[in-house]
Amino acid sequence: MPTQTTSNILMVRPANFGFNPETAANNFYQQRDNRDPQEINKIAQQEFDGFVGLLEEKGVNVVVVEDTEEPKKTDAIFPNNWFSTHEDGKVILYPMFSPNRRQERRKDIIEILMKKGYKISDIIDLTFFENDEQYLEGTGSLILDRTNKVAYACRSQRTHPIPLAYFGRIMEYEIVDFDATQLINGKVSPIYHTNVMMHIGTEIAVVCLDSIPLASEKLKVQEYLEKTGKKMIPITAKQKFQFAGNMLEIKNKDGGKLTVMSETAYQSLGQVQVQTIQRYTDIVVPNIATIEKLGGGSARCMMAEIFLPSV
């Protein structure tokens, strides 16, 4: 049976982190900052290094890859959108909404994994969907229950039903898709990535059910979570805006489970929510405030899990 968590993580250290106007079109979590770009990148690197140090301290194996100076890639720090790895040795490359983010896809990162002793049996390239403006942005779009082979996804400009169904077929995953919305300046807008409002661990599911407007779809999500034995921890729309849905469960080398969330997310949670998570896993809390503010992504987005078998 596939495992839900891994102790091997790949992270990309930023060379030119900053605000990306292309992605801001539908990522309402990004905020502009007038500080000098070099200063912003330096702060992002400090936050990144602190995060990596925290994970290593907890016994997690982190493969750190340096971003390349050219071409400039403000969002390279979020590698989970362009590829995912799987226990059968498959690597999937995903079609991405923003043209400037497509430059993040690096063949040498796949080669680094092979040099580190990971076995890749097949590379499945879904990037051809970009030609038809159909996108599926990795584990931003897909919340994978790997053990039960269920993929949860909220439809949006970045999560198109055709590549989503294609993923389900080639990977033999059941797709649970739904609409999820949020209020932005009094206007209802789609949630751009599923990992903003949902997290699935081995035994828990953190989910903002309030963001699913259709009662039948809300019920469908609840039923699947119950059927697969997940303890549901609901979060509010307000907590979602504090990145409380953007968590990832990983494990350390001894098999101890860790739920990683940012300080912003942690501070937004109530005592009962924290205690419920702690009943199942330890909590790891990096401070990544600048990365969250400008990048509009949080702790989960910075970690690309390595599920590949060893050679």
Side-chain angles (χ1 to χ4, degrees), residues 23 26-30 78 80-82 95-98 101 135-143 152-159 178 180-182 190-198 211 240 245-246 295-298 300-301:
T23 54
N26 51 31
N27 177 351
F28 302 107
Y29 295 76
Q30 291 174 239
F78 304 130
N80 78 311
N81 296 138
W82 68 263
M96 294 171 76
F97 163 77
S98 171
R101 287 208 64 191
Y135 312 115
L136 186 70
E137 297 198 327
T139 52
S141 294
L142 298 159
I143 305 299
Y152 297 85
C154 66
R155 306 172 203 107
S156 75
Q157 212 175 348
R158 303 203 199 180
T159 306
F178 50 91
T181 59
Q182 56 195 354
I191 290 177
Y192 78 108
H193 271 167
T194 320
N195 74 5
V196 166
M197 52 75 67
M198 191 174 197
S211 66
K240 172 188 61 61
N246 199 252
S298 190
R300 194 279 165 265
C301 307

Side-chain angles (χ1 to χ4, degrees), residues 10-250:
L10 182 136
M11 295 175 71
V12 178
R13 191 172 188 269
N16 290 290
F17 175 77
F19 181 86
N20 184 349
E22 268 187 26
T23 54
N26 51 31
N27 177 351
F28 302 107
Y29 295 76
Q30 291 174 239
Q31 296 169 49
R32 286 187 183 274
D33 192 307
N34 296 323
R35 283 175 294 180
D36 176 68
Q38 282 174 315
E39 187 195 339
I40 286 167
N41 188 63
K42 196 176 168 194
I43 294 164
Q45 285 178 335
Q46 287 165 352
E47 291 180 355
F48 177 92
D49 294 342
F51 189 175
V52 170
L54 200 54
L55 291 175
E56 289 177 337
E57 225 173 82
K58 296 285 182 183
V60 178
N61 173 42
V62 186
V63 175
V64 175
V65 177
E66 294 285 340
D67 181 23
T68 53
E69 281 289 343
E70 292 294 333
K72 282 193 163 75
K73 303 175 289 300
T74 54
D75 290 314
I77 200 168
F78 304 130
N80 78 311
N81 296 138
W82 68 263
F83 82 105
S84 67
T85 67
H86 302 266
E87 281 186 14
D88 56 3
K90 287 191 179 83
V91 171
I92 303 183
L93 306 179
Y94 292 95
M96 294 171 76
F97 163 77
S98 171
N100 68 20
R101 287 208 64 191
R102 295 169 198 169
Q103 297 171 324
E104 293 168 31
R105 293 192 291 250
R106 287 168 53 190
K107 208 162 91 183
D108 66 316
I109 287 183
I110 308 298
E111 285 162 2
I112 286 166
L113 289 174
M114 290 164 82
K115 280 181 193 143
K116 295 264 179 198
Y118 294 105
K119 187 181 173 192
I120 294 173
S121 59
D122 197 6
I123 296 174
I124 298 169
D125 189 345
L126 305 184
T127 61
F128 64 89
F129 281 108
E130 288 168 356
N131 301 330
D132 295 315
E133 298 182 358
Q134 297 170 347
Y135 312 115
L136 186 70
E137 297 198 327
T139 52
S141 294
L142 298 159
I143 305 299
L144 301 179
D145 179 345
R146 290 172 182 261
T147 309
N148 297 293
K149 304 276 275 188
V150 179
Y152 297 85
C154 66
R155 306 172 203 107
S156 75
Q157 212 175 348
R158 303 203 199 180
T159 306
H160 193 281
I162 292 175
L164 178 60
Y166 191 85
F167 170 89
R169 279 198 305 277
I170 57 170
M171 295 304 288
E172 297 178 344
Y173 267 72
E174 205 169 340
I175 303 293
V176 179
D177 57 338
F178 50 91
D179 286 325
T181 59
Q182 56 195 354
L183 270 180
I184 307 288
N185 302 325
K187 187 177 165 233
V188 175
S189 304
I191 290 177
Y192 78 108
H193 271 167
T194 320
N195 74 5
V196 166
M197 52 75 67
M198 191 174 197
H199 154 65
I200 300 258
T202 309
E203 291 151 308
I204 63 171
V206 175
V207 59
C208 181
L209 289 169
D210 293 349
S211 66
I212 306 174
L214 209 60
S216 59
E217 292 190 334
K218 191 182 293 193
L219 191 63
K220 180 173 73 171
V221 170
Q222 281 178 287
E223 282 172 352
Y224 265 85
L225 293 174
E226 283 162 16
K227 189 169 80 176
T228 51
K230 303 296 178 194
K231 167 70 182 167
M232 223 180 312
I233 302 168
I235 55 169
T236 64
K238 191 179 175 187
Q239 289 173 321
K240 172 188 61 61
F241 277 114
Q242 302 299 310
F243 299 102
N246 199 252
M247 303 177 183
L248 182 66
E249 186 186 303
I250 57 178

